[in-house]
Amino acid sequence: MPNVVNTGLWPSMVHNGNLAESYRDLYVEELIAQKLYIREIMELVKNADYSLHYDIENIFYKSLEKEREKNYFACDIICDFILNNYKTKQLFTTPNHPYGILLNLIAKLILEEIGYKNVPENLIANINCDDNFDLPIHPSVSKFLGLSYGNEDQLYTIYGKQFNYYEYLYAYVYARLRNLPVTYFLFECHKKKRVF
C-alpha cells in the first residue's frame, strides 16, 4: 500500500512523529516564542494570508513531484488523480493520511492488479485512515488554492469533537502556552464536552 503524502494544504505544519504532538504549526510556534498573549496570536493567525508567507503552490507541486519520485505501483495514476481532484474533493485528512476517495482508488488499483475484475469505485464507503483526526486547513490556504473545502466555517473531526479552524487553533495555542500535549488537551476537551 503506497504511503501517499502531500504537504501542500498545510504549508506551516511539520510532523515530528510524536503521537502526543503529531503536527506543529511553525508560524504559530514563532508567535508563541514571541511570548504573545493568546488573543494576539489568534488575531494574527486569523488575519494572516499564508500565501504571503509560504509559496503554497510550489509546496503543493514539489510534494506531488516527490510523490512521483517514489515510483511505487500505479504512482502516476494516483498522482494524476490528486492533481485533477484536489480542488474539488478533500483527498487528505492530514499531510500523510489519504481520505476516503483516494484510499478507495488505491485499493481498487491494487485489487485490479492482483486479478479482481469490476472493482467498484467506492469499494468501502466513508473509509478513512483516521476517523478521529482531520487536521484543519488555514482558510487562506483554501482560498489561495481555490479549494471547495477548508473555509472558515468547515468543521473538522478531532477526537470525536467538531472544531472549525479557529477553535482548533485556540485549543492548540492554549495547550502549547501551558506546556500541555496538544493531543491530550484536545482529547480531554472532547471527554469533558468543553466548548471554546
Side-chain angles (χ1 to χ4, degrees), residues 6-22:
N6 194 296
T7 58
L9 304 180
W10 300 275
S12 63
M13 293 289 187
V14 292
H15 187 275
N16 63 11
N18 177 350
L19 292 178
E21 300 285 341
S22 296

Side-chain angles (χ1 to χ4, degrees), residues 1 4-5 77-79 81-82 90-92 97-109 127:
M1 182 86 166
V4 184
V5 175
I77 294 170
I78 292 166
C79 289
F81 182 84
I82 293 169
Q90 187 172 350
L91 302 177
F92 292 88
H97 287 94
Y99 195 64
I101 189 171
L102 187 52
L103 286 174
N104 271 304
L105 172 67
I106 294 166
K108 179 181 185 320
L109 291 169
I127 188 173

Side-chain angles (χ1 to χ4, degrees), residues 5-195:
V5 175
N6 194 296
T7 58
L9 304 180
W10 300 275
S12 63
M13 293 289 187
V14 292
H15 187 275
N16 63 11
N18 177 350
L19 292 178
E21 300 285 341
S22 296
Y23 297 94
R24 286 282 176 103
D25 187 311
L26 296 178
Y27 177 59
V28 175
E29 293 295 326
E30 287 176 23
L31 298 175
I32 290 170
Q34 293 175 31
K35 304 207 182 303
L36 299 174
Y37 292 107
I38 195 166
R39 69 179 179 280
E40 295 171 308
I41 294 170
M42 293 292 295
E43 192 66 26
L44 287 167
V45 175
K46 186 170 187 170
N47 293 320
D49 180 349
Y50 275 37
S51 69
L52 299 177
H53 301 281
Y54 302 97
D55 189 350
I56 296 169
E57 195 168 42
N58 188 46
I59 293 169
F60 177 84
Y61 285 106
K62 286 261 189 221
S63 191
L64 203 56
E65 187 179 309
K66 275 186 182 176
E67 200 61 34
R68 286 189 194 278
E69 289 170 2
K70 292 178 184 177
N71 203 26
Y72 50 72
F73 163 76
C75 181
D76 285 335
I77 294 170
I78 292 166
C79 289
D80 288 345
F81 182 84
I82 293 169
L83 185 59
N84 293 328
N85 291 280
Y86 81 96
K87 289 189 179 206
T88 58
K89 297 176 177 76
Q90 187 172 350
L91 302 177
F92 292 88
T93 57
T94 72
N96 61 330
H97 287 94
Y99 195 64
I101 189 171
L102 187 52
L103 286 174
N104 271 304
L105 172 67
I106 294 166
K108 179 181 185 320
L109 291 169
I110 290 170
L111 289 171
E112 288 175 346
E113 178 66 16
I114 61 174
Y116 285 88
K117 304 284 185 226
N118 303 315
V119 178
E121 296 292 323
N122 195 12
L123 185 63
I124 303 171
N126 302 318
I127 188 173
N128 193 343
C129 278
D130 188 348
D131 290 334
N132 287 316
F133 193 79
D134 294 334
L135 187 61
I137 299 166
H138 192 280
S140 72
V141 173
S142 175
K143 184 177 179 183
F144 178 81
L145 290 173
L147 306 179
S148 65
Y149 54 93
N151 63 35
E152 287 187 1
D153 299 322
Q154 178 167 335
L155 295 177
Y156 299 89
T157 302
I158 302 171
Y159 305 115
K161 185 175 170 67
Q162 299 291 301
F163 291 83
N164 69 28
Y165 177 84
Y166 299 111
E167 290 165 335
Y168 168 79
L169 175 65
Y170 181 88
Y172 179 95
V173 175
Y174 184 93
R176 295 289 299 123
L177 289 174
R178 286 157 182 78
N179 292 317
L180 297 169
V182 175
T183 302
Y184 172 80
F185 184 74
L186 289 165
F187 182 73
E188 284 301 308
C189 290
H190 166 61
K191 280 176 49 179
K192 295 175 183 174
K193 304 290 187 202
R194 181 169 181 160
V195 178

